[in-house]
Amino acid sequence: MIRAIENDYATLEKLHKNFNIPFKLNELSLPSTYFLPPIGVEIEIGWKHAVPNYSSWFQEPFKQWSVEKKKDFDVLMDVVDRRYKPNIALAIASGIPSGKKEGSVCDGYCEFAFSPVSHYDIVSKQIDFLFSQNILPQNKDLSMQITLGDMRVNSNTGILSFILEMLGGSTPQRVLSPNSNSRFWAKKESQHTGGILERYAYELKGGSESAVELRTLVANSSSQVHGVLRTAQLLAASIEHNELDSNSEPSLIWESIKSEVIESIFIPHNLHRKWWLDPVKNKSQWTVLANLMEDEYVVGNLWNLVNSKLTTLESLLFEK
């Protein structure tokens, strides 16, 4: 298994130092040994999250604005920049990479591309810090992508993405957001599963030969992100076991979850064949997913199934 870039809380310690907030390293602890695929996270602060009264400003396209409106907007953005940019710059200087690549244009106001880590709690606490300092706004359903190293796009990662979407990792609005005028999720068909992008060695930090990027997710609070990252990395570890040794205990846990999802959710809702076609041309299929996300009975049963397995996986994969 490829080691991730960060395997301790050095970036978190630097954040506390640069923001002049006391840091207690002795209160943090990782298992002495753990076997998990690397995990990286990207979170975007969209323009609609940064700009006050965003919808009233953008009732018509920017190119149709009058000269006066553009001047007024520039004044507003100066205020927004004074509020956000110093702390964003300080967070980046503390070791959290910007998601804006040199020479490119960021889709939103700002994007953080957290370095791959060996244990979800390392990056989770960095994200918690940004929420605590109001750098990441609370309860705003920010766009989030999770990258899991040493994995490839297949039916297992498709089901993993589905589980995360269902268990608080996304919203119906997010999965239905693609339209004919926007970029849309990859196809959940053949070897391509919806909202998942395969990454290759030349695109990755940390030395992984491949990875999958789960793209349909949101971040809205520290606790929500922590839960999604924990679920993603633990289940990814069980998938890796499943693909290497079908008789191992973590492998059997994944098989039991996968079978239950297919039998109790996919087959009854006709989602078990060519799943998740182009969401622009097949919106009705994605609407089924959106409706399932709001079905308390289905979500509750899935949560009970997965949560009990996560506790068992921790006991198998971690050594205190």
Side-chain angles (χ1 to χ4, degrees), residues 300-317:
N301 284 343
L302 183 60
W303 170 253
N304 290 335
L305 169 70
V306 172
N307 197 43
S308 64
K309 303 296 186 183
L310 293 180
T311 302
T312 305
L313 278 172
E314 284 180 326
S315 68
L316 294 171
L317 299 170

Side-chain angles (χ1 to χ4, degrees), residues 144-146 153 157-158 161 165 174-175 178 184-189 192-198 212-217 276-277 279 286:
M144 178 170 71
Q145 293 88 42
I146 293 176
V153 176
T157 47
S161 178
E165 291 159 355
R174 173 80 167 140
V175 299
F184 49 78
W185 314 132
K187 295 179 181 178
K188 266 190 180 172
E189 179 182 17
H192 300 87
T193 48
I196 304 177
L197 182 64
E198 189 157 319
V212 294
E213 183 179 275
L214 311 181
R215 300 166 64 86
T216 59
L217 307 173
W276 318 124
L277 301 173
W286 285 76

Side-chain angles (χ1 to χ4, degrees), residues 88-301:
I88 289 172
L90 192 55
I92 292 170
S94 302
I96 299 177
S98 168
K100 183 180 183 299
K101 297 177 177 62
E102 188 174 350
S104 67
V105 177
C106 181
D107 291 337
Y109 181 74
C110 169
E111 185 174 359
F112 294 104
F114 300 84
S115 295
V117 299
S118 57
H119 190 289
Y120 65 87
D121 192 63
I122 299 169
V123 69
S124 176
K125 284 191 165 53
Q126 294 174 26
I127 294 168
D128 175 65
F129 185 93
L130 297 190
F131 273 118
S132 73
Q133 299 305 303
N134 297 314
I135 298 170
L136 293 176
Q138 298 266 4
N139 303 315
K140 294 295 184 180
D141 291 336
L142 310 173
S143 171
M144 178 170 71
Q145 293 88 42
I146 293 176
T147 300
L148 295 161
D150 309 324
M151 302 189 74
R152 295 193 179 277
V153 176
N154 54 33
S155 63
N156 285 330
T157 47
I159 292 174
L160 171 59
S161 178
F162 172 82
I163 290 170
L164 296 177
E165 291 159 355
M166 290 286 288
L167 300 185
S170 190
T171 65
Q173 295 75 21
R174 173 80 167 140
V175 299
L176 292 177
S177 62
N179 57 59
S180 58
N181 298 316
S182 71
R183 298 173 64 185
F184 49 78
W185 314 132
K187 295 179 181 178
K188 266 190 180 172
E189 179 182 17
S190 182
Q191 294 182 355
H192 300 87
T193 48
I196 304 177
L197 182 64
E198 189 157 319
R199 296 294 192 182
Y200 303 97
Y202 71 91
E203 302 175 286
L204 301 170
K205 300 176 183 178
S208 291
E209 291 299 314
S210 66
V212 294
E213 183 179 275
L214 311 181
R215 300 166 64 86
T216 59
L217 307 173
V218 300
N220 57 47
S221 70
S222 297
S223 59
Q224 177 260 347
V225 170
H226 181 87
V228 174
L229 298 185
R230 174 176 178 257
T231 303
Q233 202 178 23
L234 290 173
L235 291 185
S238 69
I239 289 171
E240 283 197 338
H241 277 267
N242 183 256
E243 294 174 352
L244 292 171
D245 178 7
S246 61
N247 292 316
S248 69
E249 288 186 78
S251 171
L252 295 175
I253 286 175
W254 175 251
E255 279 297 330
S256 67
I257 293 173
K258 180 178 180 178
S259 297
E260 183 65 23
V261 168
I262 292 172
E263 293 296 326
S264 67
I265 303 177
F266 283 1
I267 290 176
H269 295 90
N270 198 29
L271 300 175
H272 59 299
R273 300 190 185 278
K274 288 186 176 180
W275 326 336
W276 318 124
L277 301 173
D278 174 345
V280 175
K281 298 176 181 177
N282 299 275
K283 191 170 182 177
S284 61
Q285 189 176 33
W286 285 76
T287 302
V288 172
L289 170 59
N291 291 338
L292 284 172
M293 293 168 71
E294 296 184 310
D295 187 319
E296 293 182 3
Y297 177 79
V298 173
V299 173
N301 284 343

Side-chain angles (χ1 to χ4, degrees), residues 34-48:
Y34 48 95
F35 304 95
L36 300 170
I39 185 168
V41 185
E42 295 179 24
I43 297 179
E44 179 182 282
I45 303 172
W47 291 105
K48 66 181 179 181

